[in-house]
Amino acid sequence: MEDRLVIKGIEFKSRLWIGTGKYKDFEETAKAVEASGSDVVTVSVRRVNIFDRKSPNLLDYIDPRKYKILPNTAGCYTIEDALRYARLSREAGISDLVKLEVIGDEKTLFPDVCGLLKATETLAKEGFIVLPYTNDDPIIAQRLVDAGAAAVMPLGAPIGSGLGIRNPYNIKIILETVDIPVIVDAGVGTASDAAIAMELGCDAVLINTGIAGAQDPVAMAAAMKHAVIAGRLAYRAGRIPKKLYATASSPLEGMLL
């Protein structure tokens, strides 16, 4: 069955999105992206050269005709910085899509949700397709919807921690609360974490460190691809209820005794 993710009329073939930071070089980045099967790659407007065509450039390795480039405002600690880099990416002709980050704390990299709400509202009014990175708070997720977000991207765990989905219950409540796509962002460390996110009913998973930081990033990218596919299929199939006691696989009714 067709099961495509659509955000604001944009169709995405893959439910695994991957970041482009922390790889040893652009060649490894390109190989991991290819192995992941993803058609969406995020790019930090502040940290990665995508503007100067005279020097080594990520877009020489990641073809924007093949992949959807998702600019992000990683490293922005103020509303003003986040707005400026989002606008810069659009002025450069990259995309109206933006993964919006307004970070509130250097140690935890948790989002500044007050700043995030204001920036989301401003960019949405300017015609951006805003995908805000947020904490796993259902109330804030709904406020972001009200502010004009096209999807919400709650963290599974702190950025780069690899701790997996620490609070699946809040993620589940967010899924029941909002009527826009939910994409888990941050904290996924291995394939089983990605599968859990998808089994909960999330629409996609964004992974960077879990792939780039692996001993073999290309192999891990392939593992994440299969995990996301399996998790989505399991969610759509519908798991059996959890029970405290055993239930016989072969019922006694009708057996010859």
Side-chain angles (χ1 to χ4, degrees):
M1 294 175 63
E2 284 293 315
D3 181 33
R4 297 289 176 87
L5 170 60
V6 179
I7 300 175
K8 289 287 186 179
I10 302 173
E11 186 176 281
F12 302 90
K13 296 178 182 178
S14 171
R15 292 177 182 271
L16 170 60
W17 298 6
I18 68 173
T20 53
K22 302 183 179 180
Y23 293 93
K24 67 179 181 181
D25 52 36
F26 287 152
E27 287 85 357
E28 183 178 73
T29 307
K31 290 177 182 177
V33 170
E34 182 69 25
S36 74
S38 178
D39 62 336
V40 181
V41 294
T42 66
V43 176
S44 171
V45 183
R46 292 195 64 169
R47 296 170 178 161
V48 177
N49 173 34
I50 52 176
F51 302 115
D52 182 6
R53 304 299 294 176
K54 297 178 181 178
S55 59
N57 189 299
L58 177 65
L59 299 186
D60 293 331
Y61 298 84
I62 305 296
D63 187 349
R65 294 170 299 182
K66 182 177 180 181
Y67 301 100
K68 292 179 177 67
I69 307 299
L70 175 59
N72 71 57
T73 60
C76 292
Y77 286 82
T78 66
I79 298 171
E80 293 73 20
D81 271 356
L83 295 177
R84 182 175 54 201
Y85 284 104
R87 290 163 179 159
L88 180 62
S89 68
R90 184 161 73 175
E91 288 169 8
I94 298 172
S95 180
D96 288 334
L97 286 162
V98 61
K99 179 196 166 191
L100 180 63
E101 296 185 28
V102 182
I103 301 300
D105 176 68
E106 286 190 31
K107 184 175 182 179
T108 64
L109 299 181
F110 285 146
D112 171 359
V113 293
C114 294
L116 185 67
L117 285 167
K118 292 178 182 177
T120 297
E121 185 174 19
T122 298
L123 291 175
K125 288 179 179 178
E126 293 179 9
F128 282 87
I129 301 171
V130 188
L131 286 60
Y133 158 73
T134 183
N135 57 23
D136 58 356
D137 182 338
I139 305 302
I140 293 299
Q142 184 57 56
R143 296 289 184 271
L144 288 166
V145 174
D146 297 339
V152 291
M153 304 183 74
L155 55 83
I159 291 174
S161 67
L163 290 172
I165 311 302
R166 302 315 302 162
N167 195 339
Y169 307 105
N170 271 22
I171 299 293
K172 193 67 176 174
I173 294 171
I174 290 172
L175 287 163
E176 294 174 358
T177 300
V178 304
D179 57 0
I180 58 176
V182 175
I183 302 166
V184 163
D185 178 18
V188 171
T190 191
S192 58
D193 300 331
I196 288 171
M198 298 308 295
E199 287 172 8
L200 288 170
C202 293
D203 295 278
V205 180
L206 172 59
I207 306 171
N208 189 173
T209 306
I211 295 174
Q215 293 182 33
D216 185 338
V218 178
M220 185 60 81
M224 294 295 190
K225 170 185 175 180
H226 294 299
V228 168
I229 292 171
R232 180 67 180 178
L233 284 173
Y235 167 72
R236 297 189 73 200
R239 65 159 295 140
I240 64 170
K242 294 181 179 180
K243 298 179 180 179
L244 182 60
Y245 297 103
T247 302
S249 298
S250 300
L252 295 177
E253 291 82 0
M255 291 184 68
L256 297 176
L257 300 177

